[in-house]
């Protein structure tokens, strides 16, 4: 007998939840904000909207399906199975957070606060979730395959990300490394570098792109091409600044050799799930072999 399908609902704690964790009670949280001229009402209203969205999503799940619920903070310890259907209820960034732990599972992005979130990855309202889920179950849903970036160490460790991979020092110190794109080789000291997908063009990498006044064209979200940028490269007799941006079509890799012990690489802002480089280790970043499978309605 085959198991019933499993749906995994991914969420993160709201601002209201964080305040209650910090202050213990709603009254204490309200007092803390009121003493600073702020009100708990707006935060509580957004919390209620998220709870209503979660309730709508939960009610739409067939009663014979298996269910799991996971918070963002627990993603690196949760085991997804190949047959899961994943419902992400929250901001666009939450889809990016979960994408690195998936390998082909359909993802339904649900926006609990339309108008506040851009809705790039959480494209469905809570009310539309049931229709999308039915289409996924029936095999009639459309999917958008969004490109991802992979980082791999010379000892076999890897990680993938939907938006970008950051490589640099874990604190505010400079990172020293040897940058080896296909075109050249340069020793650098910088605030780190970012390798981004087309999806990442709307995130952190875009601010770097704007500040550097770059003429590079970002890839489309489904395009198998990456862009990379070095942050605040420092010129010195031993370090250069001539290689600060570039493109990585599929099949090419950006190679970096660490010349600072303890450099880290992490994806999509999840610093706890990271690769750590010792002095002399090499990391390569390229277009990942897997992609995010985002469910859409025809």
């Amino acid at each position: 007998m085959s198991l019933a399908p499993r749906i995994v609902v991914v969420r993160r704690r709201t601002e209201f939840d964080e305040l209650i964790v910090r202050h213990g009670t709603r009254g204490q949280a309200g007092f803390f904000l009121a003493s600073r001229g702020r009100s708990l009402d707006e935060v509580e209203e957004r919390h209620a909207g998220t709870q209503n969205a979660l309730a709508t999503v939960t009610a739409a799940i067939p009663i014979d399906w298996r269910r799991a619920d996971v918070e963002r903070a627990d993603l690196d310890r949760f085991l997804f199975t190949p047959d899961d259907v994943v419902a992400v209820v929250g901001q666009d960034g939450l889809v990016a957070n979960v994408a690195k732990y998936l390998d082909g599972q359909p993802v339904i992005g649900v926006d609990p606060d339309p108008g506040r979130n851009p809705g790039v990855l959480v494209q469905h309202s809570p009310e539309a979730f049931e229709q999308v889920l039915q289409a996924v179950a029936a095999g009639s849903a459309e999917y958008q395959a969004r490109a991802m970036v992979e980082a791999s160490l010379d000892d076999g460790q890897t990680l993938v990300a939907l938006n970008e991979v950051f490589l640099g020092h874990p604190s505010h110190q400079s990172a020293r490394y040897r940058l080896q794109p296909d075109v050249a080789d340069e020793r650098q000291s910088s605030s780190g570098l970012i390798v981004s997908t087309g999806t990442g063009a709307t995130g952190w990498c875009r601010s770097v792109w704007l500040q550097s006044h770059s003429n590079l064209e970002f890839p489309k979200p489904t395009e198998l091409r990456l862009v990379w940028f070095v942050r605040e490269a420092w010129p010195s007799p031993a370090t250069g600044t001539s290689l600060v941006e570039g493109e990585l079509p599929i099949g090419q890799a950006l190679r970096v050799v660490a010349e600072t012990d303890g450099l880290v690489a992490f994806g999509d802002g999840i610093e706890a799930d990271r690769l750590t480089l010792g002095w002399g280790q090499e990391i390569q970043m390229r277009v990942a072999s897997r992609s995010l499978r985002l469910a859409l309605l025809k």
Side-chain angles (χ1 to χ4, degrees), residues 75-90:
L75 283 171
D76 61 341
R77 297 184 295 275
F78 186 82
L79 181 62
F80 290 94
T81 65
D83 297 329
D84 284 341
V85 176
V86 182
V88 179
V89 183

Side-chain angles (χ1 to χ4, degrees), residues 52-282:
N52 289 337
L54 286 167
T56 300
V57 166
T58 300
I61 301 171
I63 59 173
D64 58 335
W65 281 37
R66 294 174 298 138
R67 309 179 186 202
D69 183 271
V70 58
E71 284 194 352
R72 177 187 184 272
D74 298 322
L75 283 171
D76 61 341
R77 297 184 295 275
F78 186 82
L79 181 62
F80 290 94
T81 65
D83 297 329
D84 284 341
V85 176
V86 182
V88 179
V89 183
Q91 299 174 342
D92 289 316
L94 189 56
V95 177
N97 294 152
V98 73
K100 63 185 296 179
Y101 303 107
L102 303 178
D103 190 3
Q105 294 93 333
V107 176
I108 305 172
V110 179
D111 186 355
D113 195 2
R116 184 177 177 85
N117 299 318
V120 176
L121 299 173
V122 287
Q123 300 183 14
H124 306 292
S125 68
E127 293 72 25
F129 171 77
E130 184 173 10
Q131 185 181 0
V132 183
L133 181 60
Q134 290 174 349
V136 169
S140 60
E142 289 189 351
Y143 293 95
Q144 185 180 60
R146 290 192 169 236
M148 300 182 72
V149 52
E150 176 186 275
S152 57
L153 282 182
D154 53 12
D155 62 5
Q157 296 183 76
T158 63
L159 65 79
V160 295
L162 178 63
N163 282 330
E164 73 279 314
V165 166
F166 168 80
L167 172 66
H169 199 279
S171 74
H172 293 290
Q173 297 181 40
S174 295
R176 288 180 172 269
Y177 52 85
R178 183 180 289 277
L179 185 68
Q180 298 176 326
D182 285 351
V183 294
D185 182 314
E186 185 172 72
R187 182 170 278 117
Q188 292 186 341
S189 176
S190 76
S191 298
L193 56 95
I194 296 174
V195 183
S196 175
T197 66
T199 301
T202 61
W204 184 15
C205 196
R206 185 169 187 82
S207 66
V208 178
W209 178 77
L210 288 170
Q211 289 179 352
S212 64
H213 305 287
S214 173
N215 292 320
L216 276 182
E217 182 179 348
F218 274 107
K220 300 293 189 294
T222 57
E223 188 178 350
L224 298 178
R225 179 171 66 91
L226 308 172
V227 292
W228 57 269
F229 297 93
V230 174
R231 302 172 65 235
E232 301 172 324
W234 177 254
S236 76
T239 58
T241 61
S242 62
L243 302 175
V244 294
E245 63 178 37
E247 299 180 329
L248 290 175
I250 189 168
Q252 287 189 13
L254 179 65
R255 299 184 302 278
V256 180
V257 178
E259 295 190 344
T260 299
D261 200 44
L263 295 186
V264 297
F266 58 83
D268 297 332
I270 301 185
E271 298 181 51
D273 186 9
R274 65 192 188 185
L275 304 177
T276 302
L277 288 73
W279 201 102
Q281 273 197 285
E282 179 179 289

